[in-house]
Amino acid sequence: MKTKKEELNLFHIVWIGFTFVAGITYTANFATILNQAQGQGVGLHIFWIIALVGFITFMCAWTFGKLVKVHPEANGGGSQYVRTAFGKFWGLLMGLLNYAAIPVIGVALLNTMVKANFDEVSSLTGPLKGWGDMVLDLAAFGLYIIAASVIFLGVRKYKLVSTIIGYVTWGITVLLIIFGIVGGAMNLNAGKNGLNIDRGTLDFSSFSKTFNALFFSFCGLETFITTGKNIKNREKNVPISIMIIMFMTTLFYLVFTVIVMLAVTDQFKGNPNLQLFDALNSDFLKKAGPIIIIVCTMLMRFNSSIQVTLFGGSTLEPMASQKFLPNSFKKENKENVPVTGILVTIAALAITYFMFVFVPDLIQGITGDVSVFNFSTIAGVTAIVLLFVYLLILPTAFYQGYKKNIKVNIFEYFGWVLTFICLIFIFVLYFINLIDPFVKENVDNKLQKVVASSFQMIYLFGVFVIAVLLYFVYHKKQVTKLNDKPEELKALQEYEKVFTIVNKPEQVKKSQKLET
C-alpha cells in the first residue's frame, strides 16, 4: 500500500509532465519546415499548425486521462484500455505499435543529441574527410550507453539524475528565452523583423511535413499519464493536470517560436537555437551562448533517452505477463525495473542505430557519397505509428462512453470526433507522400525516397504480421500449455483482472449516496 509520500500530487504531476513533453529541441526541424530567408517552408502558418497539433494531442491525452480513471491499474497503458474494450488481439496490436516506435524514437534522439550541434565537424577535411558524421554518431551512442546504464543503478538514482537534469535544462531554457528576447529586440531596432516574412508556401505536402515534425514534439503525455496508480486523487488531478500541461506546452511552443523567429532573421540551419546569439553585440555571448545551448540540448536528449528506454522495457512486461511473449520478458529486479525488457530495448535501439546511422556513415566515409538509406529512411515511421496508436485509443473512448463505463459530455464527443477526422486526414496525406516517389517522375533524390517509402511500408506491415503470428500461433499455444501448469494458469487469471472497468459512473453515484 502506497503512502502519501509515494504518491504524486498535482504540482508534481504538472512539473514532471511538462518537463517530459516540452523542450527547446522541437526547433530541430525548423531548417526544413521554416526557412524564412528564402521564402521556403510554411512561414507564419506554423503558428496555427502548432495550435492545431496542440489541440489534437490534448484531446488524445484527455482520452487516456478518462480511461486511466476507470481501470484498476495503469500497467500496460493504451494496450490495457484497448484490450478491455475490444479484446486480446487489439490490445496486443496496441502494445506492439507502442513498442515499434521506441527504437525509431531512440535513434531520433541520438541523431540530434550531438550531430545537429556540430555542422563543422560533419564536414571535416584532411585524413578524416567524410568521417565527421561517424565521429559524432559514435559520441552520441556512447552517451546513450551511459544514459541507459543509469536505469540499472536503481529507481531512486534514476529519478535523482532525471530531476537534476530537468532543473538544469529548464534553468538554461529561461536564460535562453531572455537572450532571445534581447536579440529579437535588437533585430527589430535594426529594421529586421523575423515575423515580417512571406506567409510561406502551404500545400498538402508542406502541411503534412510540418504537422508530423511538430506532432512528435507534443507526444509523451499519454505515456506519463499511464502512471495513474501513483497519482494522488487521480480522478480529480489527472484531468486538471492534462489541461494545465497541454496548455503550458502549446503556449511555450508558440512563444518560443516567436522568439526564435525574431532573433534569427537569417536562414535556419542545423540546430536553430545556436543562432539565437547572432544578433547580440557581445563576442563573449556569441561564443559562450552556443556552448550552453549544446550542453542543454545534449542533457535533454540524454534524459529523454533514459525515459524512452525505461518505457520500452515497461511496454514489453505486460505483453509477457499475458503470454504474448516469453516469461523472461517480464523479469524484474527488486525495484520492479523490467531488466530483460530494458536489455531487449537497448539491443533493438543499437541494431536500428547500426543499420541506419553507422552503416550509412561507413558508406559515406569509404565512398565519399551519401548513402541511399540513412536515418531519414525511417524517420517518418514514428509519426505514423503514433497516429495508429491514437486512431485505436479514440474508438476505445467512444465505445466506453457508449457503454456508460465512462462519463462523456457532448463537448468531449465533439472534440474526439473532430480529432479523429483530423488524424484520418493526416493519415491519408502520409500515405500519399509514401506513394509519390513511385508514381511521380520529377522527384528530387528519387532513389532515396523510394527506399524510404518502401522501408516504412514494410515496417508497418511487419508490425501487423508479428501481431497476427504472436496471437494466433504463439499465444494460443502458450495458453494451451497452461492446462498442465495450474499455478501459472492461476497467476494469469489473477493478472487479467486488470482488464476490467472499475469506478463506473453509476457505481460512483451509489457509493456517494451510501456515504450520505
Side-chain angles (χ1 to χ4, degrees):
M1 183 176 180
K2 296 199 175 289
T3 65
K4 292 184 178 180
K5 289 184 178 180
E6 292 175 308
E7 293 180 325
L8 301 173
N9 60 32
L10 182 60
F11 173 78
H12 291 131
I13 303 169
V14 172
W15 168 248
I16 296 173
F18 177 66
T19 56
F20 183 72
V21 177
I24 64 171
T25 51
Y26 81 99
T27 60
N29 296 293
F30 276 18
T32 55
I33 68 175
L34 193 65
N35 266 327
Q36 72 266 44
Q38 298 179 351
Q40 300 173 350
V42 296
L44 296 180
H45 292 292
I46 191 172
F47 292 107
W48 70 261
I49 296 177
I50 288 176
L52 175 64
V53 177
F55 170 77
I56 290 175
T57 51
F58 166 77
M59 292 308 303
C60 294
W62 186 260
T63 305
F64 280 87
K66 296 285 285 191
L67 294 170
V68 75
K69 295 192 296 182
V70 295
H71 285 79
E73 291 184 14
N75 192 25
S79 62
Q80 178 188 6
Y81 312 146
V82 172
R83 174 180 165 172
T84 302
F86 303 124
K88 289 184 178 182
F89 174 77
W90 295 103
L92 170 62
L93 178 60
M94 183 67 154
L96 288 176
L97 285 170
N98 274 320
Y99 192 77
I102 298 299
V104 184
I105 292 175
V107 173
L109 293 173
L110 300 191
N111 200 50
T112 55
M113 181 186 289
V114 179
K115 188 157 54 180
N117 302 315
F118 298 97
D119 291 333
E120 68 280 2
V121 179
S122 295
S123 55
L124 287 174
T125 58
L128 290 178
K129 183 178 181 180
W131 294 95
D133 284 346
M134 173 66 82
V135 173
L136 298 175
D137 291 329
L138 282 172
F141 189 73
L143 289 173
Y144 170 69
I145 295 300
I146 296 173
S149 301
V150 171
I151 301 173
F152 297 102
L153 297 177
V155 175
R156 289 184 180 180
K157 292 182 179 179
Y158 152 68
K159 288 182 178 179
L160 178 63
V161 171
S162 182
T163 301
I164 292 174
I165 291 176
Y167 282 121
V168 171
T169 53
W170 277 97
I172 294 175
T173 299
V174 172
L175 290 175
L176 184 59
I177 290 173
I178 295 172
F179 286 125
I181 292 174
V182 173
M186 295 179 69
N187 279 333
L188 289 174
N189 289 332
K192 298 179 180 179
N193 184 359
L195 296 178
N196 188 24
I197 60 175
D198 186 343
R199 292 188 64 85
T201 303
L202 184 68
D203 53 24
F204 287 142
S205 178
S206 62
F207 170 76
S208 176
K209 183 187 297 183
T210 305
F211 183 94
N212 290 334
L214 294 171
F215 187 62
F216 173 71
S217 301
F218 276 89
C219 295
L221 183 60
E222 71 285 347
T223 301
F224 170 71
I225 289 300
T226 58
T227 62
K229 62 182 179 180
N230 295 321
I231 294 174
K232 180 180 180 181
N233 194 11
R234 67 180 183 176
E235 291 186 15
K236 178 182 178 182
N237 287 337
V238 167
I240 294 175
S241 65
I242 290 175
M243 287 189 290
I244 296 174
I245 293 168
M246 295 311 298
F247 174 78
M248 289 173 59
T249 300
T250 304
L251 181 62
F252 171 76
Y253 286 155
L254 287 170
V255 171
F256 194 74
T257 298
V258 171
I259 293 172
V260 171
M261 292 177 71
L262 287 174
V264 184
T265 56
D266 196 2
Q267 183 178 2
F268 289 115
K269 56 185 178 181
N271 183 351
N273 298 328
L274 297 176
Q275 301 171 260
L276 288 175
F277 297 87
D278 291 347
L280 302 179
N281 293 326
S282 171
D283 291 334
F284 172 76
L285 288 177
K286 287 182 179 180
K287 293 180 179 179
I291 295 175
I292 295 173
I293 294 175
I294 290 172
V295 171
C296 183
T297 301
M298 293 174 67
L299 285 174
M300 281 187 168
R301 291 312 196 198
F302 185 91
N303 207 17
S304 296
S305 63
I306 299 176
Q307 295 165 341
V308 164
T309 304
L310 183 59
F311 176 58
S314 300
T315 302
L316 293 175
E317 183 273 326
M319 288 191 282
S321 297
Q322 297 171 71
K323 301 300 179 182
F324 293 132
L325 294 173
N327 288 333
S328 57
F329 282 83
K330 65 179 182 179
K331 181 180 178 182
E332 297 179 337
N333 61 16
K334 60 182 180 180
E335 293 187 335
N336 297 323
V337 174
V339 179
T340 303
I342 289 173
L343 290 174
V344 171
T345 300
I346 294 173
L349 193 150
I351 292 171
T352 307
Y353 200 69
F354 176 80
M355 290 176 59
F356 296 98
V357 178
F358 282 155
V359 172
D361 286 347
L362 284 171
I363 293 174
Q364 181 175 319
I366 295 172
T367 66
D369 297 324
V370 178
S371 171
V372 295
F373 69 96
N374 48 39
F375 173 69
S376 63
T377 305
I378 59 171
V381 167
T382 303
I384 193 60
V385 167
L386 292 174
L387 280 175
F388 268 116
V389 168
Y390 290 146
L391 287 172
L392 278 175
I393 203 65
L394 286 170
T396 302
F398 289 136
Y399 175 81
Q400 298 298 6
Y402 171 76
K403 298 291 289 185
K404 308 296 183 183
N405 290 328
I406 58 175
K407 186 178 180 181
V408 183
N409 60 48
I410 188 65
F411 298 104
E412 290 170 326
Y413 275 127
F414 177 78
W416 286 338
V417 169
L418 186 61
T419 299
F420 192 79
I421 293 172
C422 289
L423 291 179
I424 290 293
F425 177 67
I426 298 299
F427 183 81
V428 172
L429 290 181
Y430 174 84
F431 275 96
I432 290 176
N433 289 334
L434 278 186
I435 297 171
D436 276 349
F438 296 98
V439 297
K440 290 184 177 181
E441 294 296 332
N442 298 322
V443 178
D444 294 333
N445 301 317
K446 184 179 178 68
L447 180 58
Q448 289 181 335
K449 291 182 178 179
V450 167
V451 172
S453 295
S454 300
F455 180 82
Q456 289 178 41
M457 286 187 283
I458 292 171
Y459 193 89
L460 291 172
F461 181 71
V463 173
F464 285 90
V465 170
I466 291 173
V468 170
L469 293 175
L470 284 178
Y471 181 73
F472 291 102
V473 179
Y474 181 82
H475 175 69
K476 296 290 186 181
K477 185 177 180 180
Q478 295 302 311
V479 172
T480 302
K481 289 181 178 180
L482 292 182
N483 293 326
D484 300 325
K485 301 176 181 179
E487 290 185 2
E488 287 191 33
L489 179 60
K490 184 178 179 180
L492 177 61
Q493 292 171 341
E494 185 66 25
Y495 180 85
E496 293 190 338
K497 290 180 180 179
V498 302
F499 302 104
T500 55
I501 296 294
V502 296
N503 300 325
K504 294 182 181 181
E506 64 270 16
Q507 292 175 339
V508 174
K509 287 182 179 180
K510 288 180 181 179
S511 63
Q512 290 175 345
K513 288 181 179 180
L514 290 174
E515 289 177 0
T516 56

